[in-house]
Amino acid sequence: DAGVIQSPRHEVTEMGQEVTLRCKPISGHNSLFWYRQTMMRGLELLIYFNNNVPIDDSGMPEDRFSAKMPNASFSTLKIQPSEPRDSAVYFCASSLSRVTGELFFGEGSRLTVL
Amino acid sequence: KNEVEQSPQNLTAQEGEFITINCSYSVGISALHWLQQHPGGGIVSLFMLSSGKKKHGRLIATINIQEKHSSLHITASHPRDSAVYICAVYNNNDMRFGAGTRLTVKP
């Protein structure tokens, strides 16, 4: 298996633009997590899905952020409109089990909003 | 006070030394993860613990649920162990992360 695949690896955009980050989890994993990492706040859980259903999005910073998982092999994290404070590395991870499963991380998407 | 506290924040060791990184948490948890983040930024899961002790190669992780404390040990440390080690606790529908311990192992 190729592991968790994220795209793009790097994105530079201007404030106000829409950003879409993509994630393909490991086949057979039923839990998918989106995280954000910044120097100031470290790693934070934004949202996770179990069997394609969003379980908890309380970590999503505000209404500008939205995430979808239309099927078991694809998820998106969208920021609209983007702001400079959204600059961070966004990680996607998947696991077999929401609570007790080992987490497998993608390589991350580094977002810079100018 | 952070819900997940790691110590030390930074650690420098000589190759071959025994390393201990600590994680204390203040909430009830269902699982604790130890993660390793390499200088290039990639994150690898080392252990998932809900009780007791796990060992993988030179790495050992322990957890004491009553004391709300976990330790990550590295035996015979090597320069390739240089990374940031992050403790993460899972509680119901939420996951909280420690700030990480930056380990540098010198040859």
Side-chain angles (χ1 to χ4, degrees):
Chain A
D1 199 314
V4 176
I5 299 173
Q6 290 187 246
S7 65
R9 290 292 310 279
H10 303 272
E11 173 129 0
V12 180
T13 191
E14 292 187 344
M15 183 173 67
Q17 296 298 306
E18 178 178 292
V19 173
T20 299
L21 307 178
R22 298 172 178 81
C23 176
K24 180 180 182 340
I26 292 174
S27 177
H29 284 190
N30 58 17
S31 293
L32 183 141
F33 305 78
W34 281 102
Y35 302 94
R36 178 173 68 175
Q37 186 177 38
T38 61
M39 289 292 292
M40 290 296 294
R41 300 173 67 91
L43 269 168
E44 300 172 283
L45 174 65
L46 299 177
I47 186 172
Y48 75 89
F49 295 83
N50 198 46
N51 293 320
N52 312 340
V53 176
I55 300 300
D56 188 345
D57 65 354
S58 59
M60 296 284 262
E62 47 197 272
D63 291 344
R64 297 183 298 106
F65 285 68
S66 62
K68 294 182 179 179
M69 192 165 185
N71 57 62
S73 59
F74 183 66
S75 177
T76 58
L77 178 67
K78 187 175 292 187
I79 308 172
Q80 167 63 17
S82 58
E83 296 183 4
R85 60 190 167 128
D86 302 330
S87 298
V89 180
Y90 292 82
F91 288 98
C92 174
S94 70
S95 73
L96 278 171
S97 166
R98 175 168 64 91
V99 176
T100 61
E102 179 182 358
L103 292 168
F104 293 82
F105 285 80
E107 294 186 340
S109 294
R110 181 176 295 276
L111 173 66
T112 302
V113 183
L114 302 174
Chain B
K1 185 180 187 300
N2 291 335
E3 290 172 311
V4 183
E5 297 274 0
Q6 283 188 240
S7 63
Q9 285 187 310
N10 294 283
L11 180 57
T12 300
Q14 288 297 131
E15 183 174 356
E17 285 186 4
F18 181 82
I19 304 292
T20 296
I21 299 171
N22 296 298
C23 175
S24 296
Y25 51 92
S26 58
V27 295
I29 67 168
S30 48
L32 181 145
H33 295 259
W34 279 104
L35 310 174
Q36 179 191 55
Q37 186 165 30
H38 293 283
I43 299 176
V44 174
S45 175
L46 299 175
F47 295 103
M48 192 287 300
L49 294 162
S50 54
S51 65
K53 174 181 173 179
K54 287 190 176 179
K55 184 177 189 293
H56 185 255
R58 295 179 296 105
L59 302 178
I60 303 166
T62 63
I63 188 168
N64 185 318
I65 297 295
Q66 287 73 30
E67 294 186 3
K68 296 186 176 179
H69 181 268
S70 175
S71 293
L72 176 68
H73 305 285
I74 305 175
T75 62
S77 59
H78 189 276
R80 63 175 176 266
D81 297 326
S82 298
V84 175
Y85 293 83
I86 301 168
C87 169
V89 300
Y90 191 84
N91 176 33
N92 293 327
N93 294 328
D94 198 11
M95 182 174 266
R96 301 287 180 178
F97 295 87
T101 295
R102 183 175 298 277
L103 172 65
T104 303
V105 182
K106 295 184 176 181

